[in-house]
Amino acid sequence: MTDIIKGDGAVRRQGLYGSSIENTYAGVLSFMRRNYSRDLSGADVVVSGIPLDLSTTFRSGARMGPQAIRAASVQLAELKPFPWGFDPFDDLAVIDYGDCWFDAHNPLTIKPAIIEHARHILASGAKMLTFGGDHFVTYPLLIAHAEKYGKPLALLHFDAHCDTWQDDEPDSLNHGTMFYKAVKEGLIDPAKSVQVGIRTWNDDFMGMNVLDAPWVHDNGVDATIARIKEVIGDHPVYLTFDIDCLDPSAAPGTGTPVPGGLTSAQALKIVRNLGDLNIVGMDVVEVAPAYDQSEVTAIAAAHLACDMLCLMRNKKVAGTL
């Protein structure tokens, strides 16, 4: 019988499956203590970070998001995740690839660097779970995913902001215009896409199906889940979760907080019920720990990311990953 690893499974575990016994307050801080590795062989899902916040329009700091989410995941690696009741890593092979490297002092090279980072991982056949960084990172990730899975993709977008403000400059770095460009470039189909939690105005939402925060509050989580599934169906969908979708009371540690958002309970229930969707890629972005209180934002982000992995585990067990 193989001895159970006690401590630092992220660097001591030989295979990609199973969990280790860790002190939550110590050890190597990979996401949920997964192996730190650049070997993509056999990986079902690859976790990586993109520590970029040069695209922000208000408070910077999201470059520290990947580290904060990893650190906040220690409790999730201790017990079977709630409400799932299983260890996802008994069945799902997940590695932490570390962070995408880019030259922050040469901004025009950042977008191509992120695209190549994603292309390399996707070429292995693995799915990606990516931590931002600001929300701009989703744009180059969409480019790589659309190349892999065919365009246009559907977009399931949780956010306070629609991020479809006009921007026709091809080289701009702006975390509020990515999905304007994605629609214009045919990366996503707005008729098959859903935006959840929106509470900022745009004169042109570009045909997106918007379930704004008041709609979610008035109609409830079950109606929100049903509408998401109705719109997206079985279309390949990229899931992006901007943590400012949550109300600032639940996620103060973000660059552009807006009152009136979703509670963490609402968001978690929605994400936990997305297993019927054909999810081809996932990210959690805009965690800015410098503005956080008692790490509540990073903790919420880590739990959302864990639930995304549990969705992928169920898909693998069902043979639909």
Side-chain angles (χ1 to χ4, degrees), residues 209-230:
N209 295 276
V210 178
L211 308 181
D212 59 33
W215 192 96
V216 176
H217 296 319
D218 291 344
N219 292 275
V221 169
D222 290 338
T224 303
I225 295 166
R227 180 60 179 153
I228 289 170
K229 293 181 178 181
E230 178 185 6

Side-chain angles (χ1 to χ4, degrees), residues 104-294:
H105 306 290
N106 192 356
L108 294 184
T109 67
I110 292 174
K111 175 184 164 186
I114 298 171
I115 294 171
E116 287 305 314
H117 168 79
R119 282 174 176 160
H120 177 66
I121 293 172
L122 292 173
S124 73
K127 296 288 197 303
M128 293 184 71
L129 171 58
T130 308
F131 302 146
D134 66 49
H135 212 160
F136 175 82
V137 305
T138 303
Y139 173 43
L141 289 171
L142 278 172
I143 292 173
H145 280 78
E147 290 176 354
K148 172 71 174 181
Y149 294 101
K151 60 182 184 180
L153 300 171
L155 181 73
L156 178 53
H157 173 206
F158 294 83
D159 207 323
H161 311 88
C162 60
D163 295 337
T164 51
W165 287 286
Q166 185 172 353
D167 179 5
D168 293 309
E169 294 295 330
D171 296 323
S172 68
L173 296 176
N174 189 325
H175 72 160
T177 65
M178 314 84 60
F179 303 132
Y180 173 88
K181 291 182 175 180
V183 171
K184 288 288 188 179
E185 295 171 19
L187 303 176
I188 59 175
D189 179 358
K192 286 287 185 182
S193 299
V194 183
Q195 296 181 307
V196 181
I198 305 301
R199 50 196 188 277
T200 47
W201 187 255
N202 190 342
D203 288 335
D204 182 3
F205 286 94
M206 301 191 72
M208 296 282 199
N209 295 276
V210 178
L211 308 181
D212 59 33
W215 192 96
V216 176
H217 296 319
D218 291 344
N219 292 275
V221 169
D222 290 338
T224 303
I225 295 166
R227 180 60 179 153
I228 289 170
K229 293 181 178 181
E230 178 185 6
V231 171
I232 296 174
D234 61 358
H235 201 80
V237 58
Y238 187 94
L239 168 59
T240 179
F241 199 108
D242 186 327
I243 204 65
D244 70 29
C245 178
L246 301 183
D247 188 78
S249 62
T254 192
T256 48
V258 182
L262 273 60
T263 67
S264 56
Q266 288 174 311
L268 288 166
K269 183 174 180 181
I270 294 170
V271 170
R272 288 168 180 166
N273 283 276
L274 299 179
D276 294 337
L277 298 184
N278 181 15
I279 299 171
V280 298
M282 306 157 285
D283 66 50
V284 182
V285 299
E286 296 283 1
V287 173
Y291 313 109
D292 213 350
Q293 300 292 325
S294 302

